[in-house]
Amino acid sequence: AQSVTQPDIHITVSEGASLELRCNYSYGATPYLFWYVQSPGQGLQLLLKYFSGDTLVQGIKGFEAEFKRSQSSFNLRKPSVHWSDAAEYFCAVGEAYGGSQGNLIFGKGTKLSVKP
Amino acid sequence: GAGVSQSPSNKVTEKGKDVELRCDPISGHTALYWYRQSLGQGLEFLIYFQGNSAPDKSGLPSDRFSAERTGGSVSTLTIQRTQQEDSAVYLCASSLAGRGGYEQYFGPGTRLTVT
């Protein structure tokens, strides 16, 4: 069965420092991978996605992620964190079959705190 | 353009009552999903509609939960005889069908509190 693991429940970084959020997945075929961000009281916003091709994908707000098949990982990175990045981040895996699309399987999320 | 909308934003109900949660997907999106977000459980898939196909109900936690989608657009999630463990945020998402249109766009959610 598909699964997604985000090993870090809570991370605190200083503003301006670099950030890496870890995500590991379990999936039998080539997965479709996503990172979403959720600010308090808000819905989920898509940061970036990987479908195929270049394994380093760029997203919004200066985020990027790298798909590493050998490690079953899709870690999210940002070179310099801003206070407004404080939120909860979710990694998700999905599949597409035929002309339809399945549901997403989400990790438990990583809460990011940013200290001044 | 308009995103996914959900109503109500908050709902407080007494244990044992029925509730209906509404989702308006993005116009033209043929796929619609319901998820539940609760403390300790993260985001759980509930049900998925794709066009006129039979819905995928594999994530519904019990037969008290049901959903319908009328005219391929608006969807209603119904929870009968609510229990305290149903308290959660219910999120709706929609997406385009076909390759390259897999992104799911989420609504702001309905926070359900069962007292």
Side-chain angles (χ1 to χ4, degrees):
Chain A
Q2 301 171 56
S3 66
V4 177
T5 302
Q6 294 180 246
D8 304 305
I9 297 172
H10 190 186
I11 285 182
T12 300
V13 299
S14 298
E15 190 168 16
S18 64
L19 171 70
E20 182 169 26
L21 301 182
R22 296 183 290 163
C23 173
N24 292 95
Y25 66 89
S26 172
Y27 187 65
T30 300
Y32 289 11
L33 294 160
F34 307 82
W35 275 100
Y36 284 87
V37 62
Q38 186 178 36
S39 298
Q42 305 295 313
L44 278 78
Q45 181 183 22
L46 180 68
L47 284 175
L48 47 77
K49 62 185 185 289
Y50 172 78
F51 287 172
S52 65
D54 193 348
T55 57
L56 183 64
V57 293
Q58 303 296 321
I60 62 171
K61 304 184 180 186
F63 286 93
E64 66 178 26
E66 186 171 12
F67 170 58
K68 292 186 177 180
R69 184 188 302 276
S70 61
Q71 298 177 20
S72 297
S73 69
F74 189 56
N75 294 348
L76 182 72
R77 301 193 294 250
K78 186 169 184 178
S80 178
V81 169
H82 188 262
W83 64 267
S84 61
D85 294 324
E88 192 155 18
Y89 292 79
F90 293 91
C91 181
V93 63
E95 61 179 307
Y97 39 87
S100 63
Q101 302 159 54
N103 57 288
L104 295 177
I105 305 297
F106 285 87
K108 297 289 189 186
T110 297
K111 183 176 180 180
L112 173 66
S113 297
V114 180
K115 57 183 181 181
Chain B
V4 178
S5 61
Q6 294 185 245
S7 60
S9 55
N10 281 285
K11 176 72 176 180
V12 180
T13 189
E14 292 180 351
K15 178 182 173 181
K17 296 287 179 74
D18 298 352
V19 295
E20 286 189 350
L21 313 179
R22 177 186 168 104
C23 172
D24 280 278
I26 293 172
S27 178
H29 281 192
T30 59
L32 187 148
Y33 310 77
W34 283 98
Y35 295 87
R36 177 170 70 174
Q37 185 175 25
S38 53
L39 286 174
Q41 297 297 320
L43 278 148
E44 304 171 277
F45 163 72
L46 296 177
I47 188 169
Y48 157 52
F49 297 88
Q50 170 57 54
N52 295 320
S53 302
D56 175 358
K57 304 179 182 180
S58 60
L60 294 178
S62 78
D63 59 8
R64 296 186 296 104
F65 287 72
S66 63
E68 63 177 16
R69 188 178 184 191
T70 54
S73 181
V74 172
S75 176
T76 302
L77 177 69
T78 300
I79 308 173
Q80 296 178 309
R81 304 181 303 281
T82 52
Q83 304 294 312
Q84 288 187 331
E85 61 262 29
D86 299 334
S87 296
V89 176
Y90 290 82
L91 294 166
C92 175
S94 70
S95 68
L96 287 168
R99 184 177 295 279
Y102 193 78
E103 301 164 45
Q104 294 186 22
Y105 295 84
F106 283 80
T110 293
R111 180 174 296 278
L112 175 66
T113 303
V114 182
T115 61

